[in-house]
């Protein structure tokens, strides 16, 4: 992917979007304020010889990127931004600033499209460009109804274990960028893309919203069970846990033919509706059986019967999975020699295959100032002067 992305990014959503583009081979240059930098740089442990600004929480979404500093609060900084977009040149500009900041920072679509008419502009906000309301992932999980569906029926609403609204908005933005690139290839025109994190979260709520609003059905927290299928839940084994998911009546019939399971071949359980109606008792009966098996025995038994099952893995187990370990993305810090690895890409891109799934280590703040600004004609003496005056 022969594309250049300039990204005024922080937190998670836009960094994850641009990291996805890195995996496709795009050149991503992240822009940070020289006075503060991305707040995520200072979150997590100091894993690199106690170095500030490179704490662990910052690293995963920033492999393979370049980093420059630029003060968009001053006129010279805004002029340099336009120079970067015009002369690098930049194909995609991404930001996740609040809308009221667009014009003040000179990053609004109308300003930047005057510099490069075929620019693809991506703005990610909590509630869309018409709102300046601040939002974080858990706030949006709460407001979108996701938390109302997560947790035990008699317990408190719970947040998901990952920032799914952040990550989901990034994936939705990625899809829109691909569409905009196709449009540009066909028409030569740029595109403005506004991503609302709230609308992104709501996009997953098609079933709960329809069933509730249109049919009056009550959709609530189900713990580890499924609203519409049974048995589908977490079951303890003698040395761990598995998730067993019976998706149809034929799979259930197969399950009840297993040695020791025959007593569950009852008429009331023959159809999914009957199993749903008595799910608590059914789950207890299944748990009594799985507790007599090791996890490996349970996996072998259910897979052999053609019933979907999975071990509840801890993260170290996930890394050792044979479908995971060969595809991990790795990077080595040239300063400390520390190697890090992170999750495999969605697909094995040609770009990553050519590099044996290795990317450049996440950049220090302003690490690539000299390289990038030199590309647009800023000399060494001018660069030093801009640094001294706080422009970069």
């Amino acid at each position: 992917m022969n594309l250049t992305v300039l990204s005024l990014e922080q937190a998670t959503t836009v960094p994850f979007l641009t990291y996805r583009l890195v995996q496709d081979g795009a050149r991503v240059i992240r822009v940070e304020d020289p006075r503060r930098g991305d707040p995520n740089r200072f979150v997590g442990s100091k894993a690199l010889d106690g170095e500030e600004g490179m704490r662990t929480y910052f690293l995963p979404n920033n492999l393979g990127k370049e980093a420059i500093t630029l003060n968009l609060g001053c006129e010279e900084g805004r002029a340099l931004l336009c120079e970067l977009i015009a002369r690098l040149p930049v194909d995609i500009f991404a930001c996740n600033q609040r809308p009221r900041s667009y014009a003040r920072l000179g990053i609004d679509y109308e300003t930047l499209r005057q510099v490069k008419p075929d620019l693809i502009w991506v703005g990610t906000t909590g509630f869309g460009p018409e709102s300046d309301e601040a939002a974080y992932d858990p706030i949006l999980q709460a407001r979108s109804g996701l938390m109302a569906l997560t947790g035990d029926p008699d317990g408190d609403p719970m947040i998901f274990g990952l920032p799914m609204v952040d990550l989901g908005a990034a994936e939705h933005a990625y899809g829109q960028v691909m569409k905009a690139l196709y449009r540009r290839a066909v028409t030569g025109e740029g595109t403005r893309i506004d991503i609302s994190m709230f609308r992104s979260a709501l996009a997953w709520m098609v079933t709960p919203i329809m069933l509730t609003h249109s049919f009056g059905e009550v959709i609530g927290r189900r713990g580890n069970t499924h609203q519409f299928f049974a048995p589908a839940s977490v079951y303890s084994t003698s040395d761990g846990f598995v998730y067993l998911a019976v998706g149809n009546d034929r799979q259930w019939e197969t399950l009840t033919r297993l040695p020791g399971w025959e007593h569950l071949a009852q008429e009331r359980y023959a159809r999914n509706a009957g199993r749903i109606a008595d799910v608590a008792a059914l789950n207890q009966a299944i748990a009594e059986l799985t507790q007599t098996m090791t996890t490996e025995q349970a996996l072998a038994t259910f897979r052999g019967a053609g019933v979907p099952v999975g071990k509840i893995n801890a993260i170290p187990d996930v890394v050792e999975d044979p479908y995971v370990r060969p595809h991990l993305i790795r990077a080595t810090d040239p300063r400390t020699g520390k190697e890090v690895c992170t999750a495999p890409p969605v697909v094995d891109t040609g770009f990553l295959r050519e590099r044996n799934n290795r990317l450049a280590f996440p950049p220090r703040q302003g690490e690539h100032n000299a390289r990038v600004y030199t590309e647009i004609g800023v000399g060494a003496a001018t660069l030093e002067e801009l640094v001294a005056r706080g422009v970069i």
Side-chain angles (χ1 to χ4, degrees):
M1 181 183 286
N2 186 24
L3 295 171
T4 297
V5 181
L6 195 66
S7 184
L8 187 60
E9 63 182 49
Q10 59 182 350
T12 299
T13 302
V14 174
F16 189 67
L17 162 64
T18 56
Y19 176 53
R20 292 277 279 108
L21 294 170
V22 164
Q23 294 175 34
D24 290 333
R27 179 189 187 189
V28 173
I29 304 168
R30 62 177 354 261
V31 180
E32 299 173 67
D33 190 301
R35 298 161 295 181
R36 293 181 294 275
D38 184 342
N40 275 13
R41 286 186 174 278
F42 309 97
V43 178
S45 63
K46 298 180 183 179
L48 302 177
D49 293 342
E51 183 178 349
E52 279 287 4
M54 289 292 282
R55 293 190 177 221
T56 52
Y57 191 66
F58 170 77
L59 303 180
N61 293 328
N62 289 290
L63 277 73
K65 300 180 184 180
E66 299 171 55
I68 63 173
T69 50
L70 184 60
N71 182 0
L72 295 176
C74 65
E75 186 175 347
E76 281 181 278
R78 295 189 292 274
L80 272 174
L81 175 69
C82 292
E83 285 291 303
L84 289 165
I85 288 173
R87 299 183 66 178
L88 283 176
V90 171
D91 299 284
I92 301 164
F93 176 82
C95 66
N96 56 344
Q97 307 299 306
R98 290 167 70 173
R100 71 181 181 192
S101 302
Y102 289 168
R104 177 175 58 83
L105 299 176
I107 61 172
D108 55 292
Y109 176 63
E110 292 304 323
T111 294
L112 298 185
R113 74 186 291 243
Q114 299 303 315
V115 178
K116 195 169 187 294
D118 65 348
L119 181 70
I120 295 170
W121 185 97
V122 185
T124 299
T125 57
F127 299 94
E130 66 278 3
S131 170
D132 203 61
E133 185 177 346
Y136 287 116
D137 175 276
I139 303 302
L140 296 167
Q141 286 198 40
R143 188 162 170 176
S144 66
L146 289 174
M147 286 179 65
L149 303 181
T150 308
D152 291 324
D154 299 324
D156 294 336
M158 295 187 68
I159 195 167
F160 194 77
L162 285 170
M164 290 308 298
V165 177
D166 284 346
L167 300 173
E171 291 290 356
H172 288 149
Y174 179 86
Q176 292 299 312
V177 167
M178 294 302 108
K179 186 165 70 173
L181 287 169
Y182 176 77
R183 179 173 183 266
R184 190 178 74 166
V186 172
T187 68
E189 298 176 355
T191 302
R192 172 174 179 160
I193 301 169
D194 285 291
I195 297 293
S196 159
M197 296 167 65
F198 184 53
R199 290 275 292 273
S200 172
L202 290 174
W204 295 331
M205 298 288 285
V206 289
T207 298
I209 286 177
M210 177 182 284
L211 298 188
T212 299
H213 184 71
S214 302
F215 300 104
E217 295 189 21
V218 177
I219 309 295
R221 296 186 295 284
R222 303 281 301 185
N224 288 318
T225 65
H226 196 283
Q227 178 84 12
F228 300 107
F229 296 96
S233 189
V234 172
Y235 301 97
S236 60
T237 63
S238 63
D239 60 354
F241 297 90
V242 296
Y243 197 102
L244 180 67
V246 173
N248 56 60
D249 296 336
R250 180 172 294 180
Q251 289 176 353
W252 171 252
E253 183 180 352
T254 301
L255 196 67
T256 60
R257 291 175 182 166
L258 293 173
W261 292 64
E262 298 91 344
H263 66 288
L264 294 178
Q266 303 173 27
E267 181 61 30
R268 60 177 173 154
Y269 291 155
R271 297 291 178 263
N272 184 66
R275 300 192 295 273
I276 285 285
D278 195 34
V279 67
L282 179 60
N283 281 340
Q284 178 60 38
I286 292 173
E288 290 172 0
L289 292 167
T290 60
Q291 287 164 8
T292 67
M293 313 163 80
T294 68
T295 299
E296 290 305 316
Q297 286 172 339
L299 294 175
T301 299
F302 298 137
R303 286 171 180 165
V307 179
V309 64
K311 177 186 174 185
I312 309 298
N313 279 334
I315 302 304
D317 300 322
V318 174
V319 173
E320 295 302 323
D321 189 295
Y323 292 119
V324 174
R325 190 166 187 80
H327 305 285
L328 292 170
I329 296 175
R330 300 178 183 275
T332 302
D333 182 14
R335 291 193 190 178
T336 64
K338 173 68 176 177
E339 182 181 76
V340 297
C341 68
T342 191
V346 177
V347 296
D348 292 321
T349 66
F351 174 78
L352 286 170
R353 279 196 301 269
E354 292 169 3
R355 290 156 180 78
N356 296 316
N357 274 21
R358 299 197 72 87
L359 292 172
F361 200 76
R364 272 84 180 170
Q365 185 176 348
E367 180 177 336
H368 301 96
N369 277 349
R371 176 196 297 176
V372 174
Y373 287 117
T374 297
E375 287 184 52
I376 64 169
V378 178
T382 304
L383 197 64
E384 289 183 9
E385 179 190 348
L386 292 170
V387 171
R389 291 193 289 109
V391 178
I392 64 173

